[in-house]
Amino acid sequence: MRNKEYFKNKKVTILGLARSGVACANLLFKLGAKVSVTDIKNDPSTRDACSKLLSSAISVELGKHSAEFIEQTDLVVISPGVPAESLAVKLAARFNKPVISEIEVASILCPAKIIAVTGANGKTTVTTLIGLILKEAKKKVFVCGNIGNPFSGQLENINEEDVFVLEVSSFQLEGIKDFKPKIAVILNLTPNHLDRYNNLQEYFEAKKRIFANQDKTDFLVLNLDDPRLAGLKGQAKSEIVFFKKEPGLNSNQNAVLAVGGILGIKKELTLKIFREFKGIEHRMEELPQVKGIRFINDSKATTADSAIWAIKNVENPIVLIAGGRHKGIDYRVILESARGKVKQAVLLGEAKGKIAQDLKGAFPLVMAGTLEDAVDKAYALASAGDCILFSPMCSSYDMFKDYEERGRVFKKIVEELAVKINHG
């Protein structure tokens, strides 16, 4: 690590006890900071994180954000899931306390090269593939951020020649100050998180922060097929490298090729990785069939565009399971792809009413109370040769901790259904 003395003796308050918050708290405590943690939740999983994962010397406040807790700090570090309108953020503003994100903390300490990937869709796949081509090229690489382990949990024993590949969200970029990736990638821009941002432009401005601190020695990789991203030429100080969809390759793969070209990795090696790539968990993940019915776990699909991609890539008639927490998007955008392919849809979660309103009349809609109820209803509606596609189009936070937990629960429900049907 570099700058090990930077946080020593500073009073730092971490907002949020999710994985990144826990990792950041423990790291700063080891570096001599006076660390405290505050989380609005006070449920069993949060208390469990405190008792099992945090050092006992770290001060913790659960179930509230008190003014006293924020006022006594020098610096506030915000976790990605904490909304900008959180009381703790407002208190930090009232007391003139600087607020930064966990990736900002980690980047201050990181001596290695950083490749940061953002966009509305495809971040996890592209981040994973870049990590794989670097590994194949015999580089010591860490793939983290919104995928896998938190950035701040991977910093011990890191050297300058190592590489970090980060999946970075707009939420994390809101809280950067000096974060400066060697290679920044913006994959696409479609309406997303409009429950947090007032409009698409505001969301775009958050994404653009990924290259705000770059200079002419850095690289910005942009999608030439996206007019807003193509129009960024001239706004960045870094060297711009465009990618576009080419025959035989999808947009994500061309983004990876562009990054590989910057890094001097041979195209043949990258194409080999594409051929061998089996996909990632919770993204178009094929599950065992039940009585001739396919099940696909696409819990990672938290946007309508992700669901469109999934629908287009399933050849069978589809019974769609969708819903969760509404993110301010218009679900009608799936209709062109869904007509003639989606035979029925089962809706759940806080957004089910809004989705039903947007999709009314396109195909039959059924409401469900829980994910288990949704799977049971979808199975009853499906026939041999159909596909039950779980592609939620929404975030998971109304019912689950994150999309990964949601995906694991879906898989467990399907496994239990298979046992019941095959051995019942």
Side-chain angles (χ1 to χ4, degrees):
M1 272 188 287
R2 62 174 185 169
N3 300 323
K4 286 188 176 183
E5 301 296 312
Y6 187 90
F7 294 101
K8 190 173 182 179
N9 296 322
K10 278 190 173 70
K11 295 178 182 177
V12 182
T13 297
I14 312 292
L15 301 188
L17 259 174
R19 285 181 297 182
S20 63
V22 169
C24 191
N26 286 329
L27 174 65
L28 294 181
F29 179 75
K30 286 180 183 178
L31 294 175
K34 298 172 183 177
V35 181
S36 57
V37 177
T38 178
D39 197 305
I40 200 69
K41 295 179 183 177
N42 189 9
D43 53 26
S45 64
T46 306
R47 292 192 293 272
D48 196 49
C50 288
S51 61
K52 293 183 178 178
L53 303 177
L54 280 181
S55 167
S56 58
I58 294 175
S59 177
V60 176
E61 174 185 66
L62 297 180
K64 61 179 180 178
H65 295 311
S66 66
E68 296 79 14
F69 215 74
I70 303 297
E71 188 175 17
Q72 54 80 38
T73 197
D74 298 321
L75 175 69
V76 174
V77 178
I78 187 169
S79 298
V82 178
E85 66 272 15
S86 164
L87 174 60
V89 178
K90 292 178 179 177
L91 287 169
R94 183 198 302 176
F95 298 125
N96 294 315
K97 305 297 181 180
V99 179
I100 62 174
S101 66
E102 175 260 347
I103 63 165
E104 177 73 14
V105 170
S107 68
I108 290 169
L109 301 166
C110 179
K113 181 185 297 180
I114 296 172
I115 301 171
V117 180
T118 197
N121 302 294
K123 296 186 294 294
T124 302
T125 299
V126 170
T127 303
T128 301
L129 285 168
I130 293 171
L132 289 172
I133 66 171
L134 282 164
K135 187 176 180 181
E136 186 72 12
K138 309 302 181 186
K139 301 287 185 180
K140 186 178 177 183
V141 59
F142 299 84
V143 178
C144 49
N146 270 2
I147 174 176
N149 295 317
F151 187 11
S152 55
Q154 300 289 302
L155 289 174
E156 295 191 44
N157 304 314
I158 297 300
N159 299 309
E160 288 185 14
E161 62 270 21
D162 301 334
V163 183
F164 272 89
V165 188
L166 307 179
E167 178 187 327
V168 182
S169 71
S170 58
F171 299 175
Q172 290 168 309
L173 291 169
E174 288 174 16
I176 66 164
K177 183 183 176 185
D178 299 310
F179 178 67
K180 182 179 179 290
K182 182 66 179 177
I183 302 174
V185 184
I186 308 180
L187 298 172
N188 42 56
L189 185 78
T190 58
N192 194 4
H193 297 301
L194 297 185
D195 54 336
R196 183 172 178 124
Y197 301 104
N198 292 318
N199 49 54
L200 182 61
Q201 186 60 38
E202 192 173 295
Y203 173 57
F204 188 23
E205 292 302 321
K207 290 293 188 189
K208 286 162 61 176
R209 290 181 60 77
I210 197 170
F211 64 82
N213 298 309
Q214 287 189 308
D215 58 38
K216 62 183 180 181
T217 67
D218 303 315
F219 297 88
L220 175 59
V221 179
L222 297 172
N223 187 346
L224 189 60
D225 295 324
D226 189 311
R228 287 187 180 86
L229 298 182
L232 288 178
K233 188 174 184 180
Q235 293 189 34
K237 296 177 182 176
S238 43
E239 181 178 337
I240 293 180
V241 176
F242 285 113
F243 68 92
K244 62 179 181 178
K245 191 171 181 179
E246 301 286 355
L249 296 174
N250 62 39
S251 181
N252 290 341
Q253 291 171 324
N254 282 293
V256 176
L257 277 171
V259 173
I262 294 168
L263 296 170
I265 295 174
K266 292 182 179 178
K267 184 176 180 179
E268 293 75 17
L269 183 150
T270 303
L271 294 176
K272 172 178 176 288
I273 293 299
F274 293 165
R275 289 192 296 271
E276 295 173 352
F277 185 55
K278 303 300 183 184
I280 56 176
E281 189 179 17
H282 311 304
R283 186 64 175 126
M284 292 299 290
E285 181 183 8
E286 192 86 29
L287 305 183
Q289 294 190 14
V290 180
K291 296 291 185 181
I293 298 170
R294 291 177 69 194
F295 284 83
I296 292 179
N297 169 29
D298 197 36
S299 181
K300 184 71 172 69
T302 61
T303 68
D305 285 305
S306 293
I308 289 170
W309 192 91
I311 290 166
K312 286 180 175 178
N313 284 275
V314 173
E315 295 180 358
N316 314 66
I318 295 169
V319 177
L320 176 67
I321 300 177
R325 175 157 291 171
H326 183 50
K327 296 164 68 179
I329 62 178
D330 185 347
Y331 303 101
R332 289 175 296 182
V333 297
I334 77 164
L335 289 176
E336 183 179 346
S337 302
R339 284 195 180 100
K341 294 196 74 173
V342 175
K343 55 187 283 189
Q344 305 217 44
V346 181
L347 309 178
L348 75 161
E350 292 176 1
K352 62 184 177 183
K354 172 65 170 130
I355 300 174
Q357 179 183 327
D358 285 0
L359 304 186
K360 184 178 180 181
F363 34 78
L365 305 172
V366 176
M367 300 297 181
T370 65
L371 185 51
E372 185 173 13
D373 182 35
V375 172
D376 287 341
K377 287 178 174 174
Y379 181 72
L381 295 168
S383 305
D386 290 348
C387 174
I388 294 177
L389 171 64
F390 180 43
S391 196
M393 301 194 289
C394 301
S395 72
S396 58
Y397 302 126
D398 58 336
M399 302 171 75
F400 301 97
K401 181 176 70 176
D402 51 33
Y403 77 85
E404 293 169 315
E405 182 188 45
R406 179 171 64 184
R408 288 192 296 268
V409 170
F410 178 74
K411 291 199 289 185
K412 186 172 185 293
I413 293 168
V414 173
E415 288 169 6
E416 291 173 350
L417 175 67
V419 171
K420 181 172 71 173
I421 297 300
N422 293 332
H423 302 287

